[in-house]
Each structure stands twice: as C-alpha cells, then as structure tokens.
Amino acid sequence: RPAGAKAKAAPAKKPRVDEVGKQIGKVAGGLHLARSSPDEVVQMVAAMLEPALRTFADDRHSFEQHTVQMAEQILQGVDEDYAKQVADAASSLASLDAQEQERLAEAEKAEAHLSEEDKVVVERKNALAQVALAFRQAKQAKSQADAEYAAREAAMQGILTKKEKLAAVEATHLKPVVDGTAEAEAVGELEKEGKAAGLDASLLVALSTVAGKAPSDRGAFDAMVLAQLAEAFANRIG
C-alpha cells in the first residue's frame, strides 16, 4: 500500500432488532388503551410484563403467570370496550342514515310545492346538510374505532408468533434430523433457533454429531440427545 494511504473504514454494522421486545412493546401499548381498569393497575402490569413474557410459559413462576393473566384480562377489557364502541358507532351510523333518508324524502316533497313553500324547502335542506355532516363524523369515528381494534388484534397475535415459529422449526428441521434425512443447512438452522429459544447448549453441541450419523449407526447417547431436544421443543411450544 502506498505510503500515506488511509485505511478504508469498515462499514458500520446495523444494530440488531429485538423482535421479541418490539412485540412486547405492542402488547404493553395495548394495555394503555384500557378504560375500564384503574391507571395504577395498568401501569403496574405494564412495568412487570416484559420479564414475564420473555420467560417461557413453563418456566414462569406464579408471580409471572399472574402478571400475564392480569395482562390478558386487561386486554380482554380493551377488546370489549372497542367492540362496544364499534357497535355504538354502527348503531349511530344506521340511525343517522335513516334520518338522512327521511330528510331526503321530506326535502323532495317540499320541492314539489316550491312555489308555495320556498322557505320550508330551504330550512329542510339546511337540516339535511347538518344530518349529512353528523353522518360523516360518525362514519369517521367508526373507521377510527375499527383501526384501533385491528391494532389490538395485531398485538395479541404477536404473543402467539414465537410459539408458532418454534412449532415450524420442530416440524421442518428437528423431524428430518431424527429421521436421518436432514441436510447441513437444516441442522444449522435448528442449532440457531434452538440457541435463540434458550435450549441447553450441551444438547446443541451434540446435535451436529448426532445429525451426521445414520439412524442405524446411532447409539444410546445419540437417542438421548434427540429425545431431550424433542422434549425441550415440546415444553416451549406448550
């Protein structure tokens, strides 16, 4: 390299995204939408929620289980509140729609006698304009309630995603290893997901050796490793 040349700086690594933390944050945000639960209870549950949800269900102690149950109850209340808001908005929308149709009919009747009732027609049209405005506002309120309800459902779905991912890994990667048909890429993926799920490191170390053997060549130790891996996945999927 020529003298005085500057070394090219390595590109900065992108920060790793904590997907689990993002999902937990969505759930905590859903808690703050609660209207029927006391604020201090919501704040307390939200503060204790992250460590509880980062622990697998089978590993949680009773206090963490109670925290998750309280969060589910609060979110259920949010769900019920928004369902009521949507129902109320729909009822209001239907009522306003009926009023608008009635006003339209009345305005049309008044227009047939325009020569005699000009003033009445103008007043009825003004009233119709007011009803139409209220109709649009109610429609906007219903759209907003629908959007908030959808956000709440998405947050709840995030809780289930982790278990669904482990179930998919078990079906697509662990079973081929047990059958002796897994390729190296599948074994590597199983090791990566197992590490992310907090499986015993010694099991994951032994996995590569066991996966490299045909089922007929495996011994008692190999069978024990596979059995414990299957049990660990089953416990975390629940």
Side-chain angles (χ1 to χ4, degrees), residues 143-156:
S143 297
Q144 182 178 357
D146 287 340
E148 292 175 347
Y149 182 84
R152 157 73 179 83
E153 289 298 308
M156 288 294 291

Side-chain angles (χ1 to χ4, degrees), residues 92-93 96 129-139:
S92 176
L93 193 62
L96 289 171
Q130 293 298 320
V131 170
L133 176 60
F135 178 83
R136 287 194 297 271
Q137 291 173 340
K139 191 173 182 179

Side-chain angles (χ1 to χ4, degrees), residues 117-129:
E117 302 179 354
D118 289 343
K119 183 178 179 180
V120 174
V121 171
V122 171
E123 291 175 350
R124 295 286 171 83
K125 284 186 175 180
N126 288 338
L128 176 61

Side-chain angles (χ1 to χ4, degrees), residues 16-27 47-61 64-65 67-68 159 162 166 196-198 236:
R16 184 175 181 181
V17 178
D18 182 2
E19 295 295 341
V20 174
K22 287 173 62 179
Q23 295 297 332
I24 293 174
K26 291 180 179 180
V27 175
M48 298 185 299
L49 188 61
E50 181 168 357
L53 289 183
R54 286 188 180 276
T55 304
F56 286 104
D58 293 338
D59 298 332
R60 293 174 188 151
H61 53 66
E64 291 173 327
Q65 291 175 350
T67 297
V68 174
I159 298 176
K162 191 172 184 179
L166 285 176
R236 281 161 174 75

